[in-house]
Amino acid sequence: MSSAGTGVCNPTHMNIEAWTSSTMSNLRVYFNESYKVGGVGYFALAGVYTSHSLVEEGTKATPPFYPDFWKHYKSSDVLIDKLSDNCEKSEACTQREAAGGTCLVVALMKPGYDRGYFQAVLSNIGIPAYFCFLGYYEVSQYASDAAEAGTPVMFYHFEPDMFHVTHKGLFDRVFLPRTDPERVKLSTGDYGENGYGNKTNNPLDVDFPSLQLAKFASLLVKDLPVGSLFSKLTLSDTDINDLLSKYSEVVNDKTESQPYFRAACDWVKTNYDVWSEWLDRLPLCTLETHIVNNVTGCDNDSAVRVIEFAWRAPNPGNESLPNDCDGGVTSLPAAITTSRSCAWIAENYRIWTGWIDRKPTCDSSFYDYIVSDCDSEAYRTVECFWKFPNASNDQLSGECEDGESLPKDVKINCEYMPTSSSTFVAMAVLAVIVVVILVVAIIIVFQQRDAPIIRRSQYEMLLLMICGGFFTTGAAVAYAGRPSKFLCGVRPVLVSFGFTTIFGALIMKSLRVYRVLLKSAMKRVTVTLFRILKLLSIFYVIDIVIFIAWYAADFPEPTVTTEEAAEFRGTVDRISCKSSSFIFTALLIFTALLIFWKAIVLMVGMYLSFLIRNVSVDFQETPWIFGSVCVVLVGCLVIMPMSYLVEMPAAAYYVFLACALLFCTVLIMALMLVPKIFRLREEATSSIFGTAKSRESRGRPSQAGDTTNGGDTATNVTAGRTMSQVKYQVKPVSGGSLMVLSNLQAMNDTAATNNLATE
């Protein structure tokens, strides 16, 4: 323990195992710079050992002898003969040899090891023996070789020591007289002071006492942390034997370069409860200070996240134990599996740490829902599910308990009419019926195009008007189905072009009548079909320009909007033909412009029908045009509020809209075509009746007086009818004068029909 470097191991700061029975005198020399720290914990025990095989042999001998008991070494010649040899001897050995006997041999290590103790004990209890000093390693090898050869041996050794671990069960301790502290204190520490083979003055005659091994340390480390650790270091007998056993397991491993370190490290790993008491009291382990968490599932598409825990400073040998705290939170919490997002976990540490001891109470935040697509009944099903369901029962949550239960499925209205719906099929069938009616109307008009009533009604315009019905009928079908880019674009086009085609044809009819019959009185005016179509094309050009500008600035894309649901707690995504906030302004502008343009078309049609109100009913259709305008106005007044002011299911709205479009289309066509069909039937009936009368007159002779009277009557009637059909029109002329024009209707009818039919 000197601070001066006098050897390889000097200076020594700490001595963990000091045998005070033999080294205390040397240690006292350095007490001015070292101190006794205390006991190491386990006890040393020196003694005399003999072969276990000899003990077994003695118990079987006749008479038996007992090598593990000291008295038999005095009385058993057989036992003494088995352990005889030449060496220094005791007084009892001298006396025995004088009597012609032999002495046993006791192998000792070094004279300084328990100086004179066992020599004095064996001599004083009368055991004839030689005492030979071989050295520590030599005695161990001597005993080991004797055990392998089966030769009895008696030797001095001490415990704890590796020798007794590696030769476990091969040697037994010889029981000397029970130790007595008072007798031990009488030891002089000498032997052989009176000469070879003579009686000693050392009075020891009891076994070696258990000796607490001491720890000594330099004063340099007394106030350092290592000094505190060294003072608390204690090992029990079991601990030191366990440590020596671990060393014996690795010492013969040729691949292990540091067997001492490996044995000590293995022991530390498995004996935390022992060495943890040597350290200064560490702070209590807390969740906030000594445990860190790691969230997995953030970098992939996983629906759940797992919060795993680890010690901030784990034990190098066992990561499940902390290295910088003790007590408190004694073990790592179990991993928490949650459906919460990683951002929520990072922001709500105080909340989810409470879930370590008890699962949270279930509420709506722990379950989610999915909304299905529209089914054939125009409903969408809202199905709720736990974000992290129980592995054995998906109706229970795996991350919460008690509280709310999983809601039942809910049906909500679809935002559009699905084409798989039976209602849509019915409306489609109705639309097909309307199309068939329109096709039949086209066939009738084309077949009767030479009939006067059809010619005067300008059958080309009638056909064009009927074609407009196809557009509106197509719109009634196109407003069903999931909104797509095509449907969103074609729906307003069909309605607009249908309106333009129907009322454009009616306006051109009225304009043609006005130009021929009223614009230039008493003049032959020819308005060709090509000219009328050129005028009608202006209407289409205006429509096309509006749609091009509208769709270029704000195409009505199918847009998904998220709305608060009324049927359940949550939101639902609904798709419709809408635009973004910027383009929405353009949408309003172009929609208003389109409506304004259609209103102008209606007003022009009504104005022209008013101008030709006094023309013959064969040419003008003022009542029917006015009725058609009223139908459109009433339809708009009903459809517009239903579209923007009334909340109703999309399926019901579609049925209402489709029925309105089909009804208005059929009603307008009926107003324009049904009266003409009745006129055709009347003309056909009149023609048949006139032919029959003519045949009757030719088959029956007439009286002269009757003929004259009849002729006069017919003439008068004809004249009367002709005069009743005379129309008068007052028209302003240049110079401010008024000119009264009297036109015979029969003459005008013939001329007008020819002019309207001329291309």
Side-chain angles (χ1 to χ4, degrees), residues 116-284:
Y117 194 97
F118 285 99
Q119 299 97 307
V121 171
L122 294 180
S123 296
N124 291 332
I125 62 177
I127 296 177
Y130 286 94
F131 306 105
C132 301
F133 295 96
L134 305 180
Y136 171 78
Y137 293 104
E138 289 76 6
V139 168
S140 298
Q141 188 63 43
Y142 166 70
S144 178
D145 293 342
E148 291 182 5
T151 303
V153 66
M154 190 174 187
F155 60 96
Y156 161 84
H157 220 288
F158 49 81
E159 299 180 66
D161 190 79
M162 275 294 299
F163 176 82
H164 297 282
V165 175
T166 56
H167 298 83
K168 189 174 183 179
L170 297 180
F171 303 99
D172 291 343
R173 180 183 173 87
V174 177
F175 290 93
L176 299 176
R178 187 175 183 274
T179 186
D180 183 356
E182 293 183 357
R183 300 293 297 170
V184 173
K185 290 176 63 177
L186 299 176
S187 174
T188 62
D190 292 326
Y191 182 78
E193 69 278 13
N194 295 324
Y196 179 76
N198 296 323
K199 184 177 178 61
T200 181
N201 296 329
N202 194 338
L204 282 176
D205 54 3
V206 294
D207 203 350
F208 192 83
S210 295
L211 177 66
Q212 184 180 29
L213 300 178
K215 299 178 294 184
F216 286 84
S218 171
L219 292 174
L220 297 175
V221 301
K222 187 173 184 178
D223 297 327
L224 298 179
V226 69
S228 175
L229 171 65
F230 190 59
S231 65
K232 296 178 181 179
L233 188 152
T234 55
L235 293 172
S236 66
D237 294 332
T238 304
D239 295 332
I240 190 62
N241 284 334
D242 185 26
L243 183 59
L244 293 174
S245 297
K246 291 185 180 298
Y247 175 73
S248 67
E249 294 173 0
V250 299
V251 67
N252 295 322
D253 187 356
K254 302 300 182 182
T255 61
E256 182 58 59
S257 60
Q258 295 178 311
Y260 283 109
F261 174 80
R262 175 52 51 201
C265 185
D266 291 343
W267 183 89
V268 168
K269 291 179 180 179
T270 57
N271 291 273
Y272 173 81
D273 292 339
V274 176
W275 59 260
S276 61
E277 300 297 331
W278 305 346
L279 305 174
D280 290 335
R281 187 63 180 177
L282 295 174
L284 291 176

Side-chain angles (χ1 to χ4, degrees), residues 533-547:
L533 292 178
K534 286 196 298 182
L535 293 175
L536 180 60
S537 66
I538 296 175
F539 289 19
Y540 288 108
V541 169
I542 294 175
D543 274 4
I544 292 172
V545 169
I546 292 176
F547 276 110

Side-chain angles (χ1 to χ4, degrees), residues 546-715:
I546 292 176
F547 276 110
I548 290 176
W550 178 6
Y551 286 2
D554 180 20
F555 190 88
E557 297 278 355
T559 305
V560 177
T561 57
T562 302
E563 303 174 357
E564 289 291 335
E567 299 86 350
F568 66 97
R569 184 168 54 188
T571 59
V572 60
D573 293 337
R574 298 187 181 276
I575 185 170
S576 59
C577 298
K578 291 185 178 180
S579 304
S580 62
S581 58
F582 166 74
I583 301 179
F584 186 68
T585 303
L587 174 63
L588 291 178
I589 293 174
F590 286 110
T591 303
L593 181 61
L594 192 61
I595 293 175
F596 179 71
W597 161 239
K598 299 305 176 184
I600 292 176
V601 173
L602 283 178
M603 293 302 103
V604 170
M606 291 185 66
Y607 177 69
L608 288 175
S609 66
F610 176 77
L611 291 179
I612 63 173
R613 66 189 182 280
N614 293 323
V615 178
S616 172
V617 294
D618 291 337
F619 298 97
Q620 60 92 11
E621 298 170 326
T622 299
W624 316 126
I625 294 176
F626 181 78
S628 300
V629 172
C630 292
V631 169
V632 173
L633 290 177
V634 172
C636 291
L637 291 176
V638 174
I639 293 176
M640 295 290 285
M642 296 295 290
S643 300
Y644 298 101
L645 301 179
V646 179
E647 290 288 339
M648 60 188 307
Y653 172 74
Y654 167 74
V655 172
F656 183 83
L657 175 64
C659 289
L661 288 174
L662 295 177
F663 177 76
C664 291
T665 300
V666 172
L667 188 57
I668 292 173
M669 298 301 164
L671 289 173
M672 302 307 300
L673 297 177
V674 171
K676 295 174 178 55
I677 294 175
F678 280 110
R679 292 288 299 276
L680 285 173
R681 291 187 62 185
E682 289 177 1
E683 289 183 359
T685 303
S686 299
S687 176
I688 295 173
F689 180 75
T691 303
K693 293 288 289 183
S694 176
R695 290 176 180 175
E696 182 180 354
S697 298
R698 287 196 300 270
R700 184 176 60 191
S702 302
Q703 299 294 330
D706 295 338
T707 302
T708 302
N709 294 335
D712 293 341
T713 303
T715 302

Side-chain angles (χ1 to χ4, degrees), residues 78-95:
V78 177
L79 180 58
I80 294 174
D81 291 339
K82 288 183 176 293
L83 297 171
S84 61
D85 202 343
N86 294 319
C87 204
E88 293 184 356
K89 56 184 177 180
S90 64
E91 180 186 11
C93 180
T94 301
Q95 295 174 356

Side-chain angles (χ1 to χ4, degrees), residues 502-515:
I502 294 173
F503 283 92
L506 294 178
I507 290 174
M508 292 302 106
K509 280 166 53 66
S510 300
L511 180 62
R512 199 175 190 187
V513 171
Y514 175 75
R515 293 277 298 173

Side-chain angles (χ1 to χ4, degrees), residues 321-399:
L321 298 175
N323 198 48
D324 58 350
C325 64
D326 192 19
V329 181
T330 57
S331 60
L332 290 174
I336 299 176
T337 303
T338 179
S339 59
R340 293 291 198 265
S341 66
C342 294
W344 186 94
I345 293 173
E347 296 173 359
N348 295 273
Y349 176 83
R350 293 291 182 183
I351 296 178
W352 62 258
T353 50
W355 302 350
I356 294 175
D357 299 323
R358 186 179 185 276
K359 289 184 177 181
T361 302
C362 295
D363 56 33
S364 59
S365 63
F366 291 99
Y367 62 81
D368 204 349
Y369 57 89
I370 55 174
V371 183
S372 66
D373 293 332
C374 296
D375 57 20
S376 59
E377 298 179 356
Y379 286 108
R380 301 175 69 182
T381 302
V382 181
E383 182 180 0
C384 296
F385 60 91
W386 293 111
K387 295 179 180 179
F388 180 63
N390 187 289
S392 59
N393 186 358
D394 58 4
Q395 294 299 310
L396 299 177
S397 174
E399 60 177 325

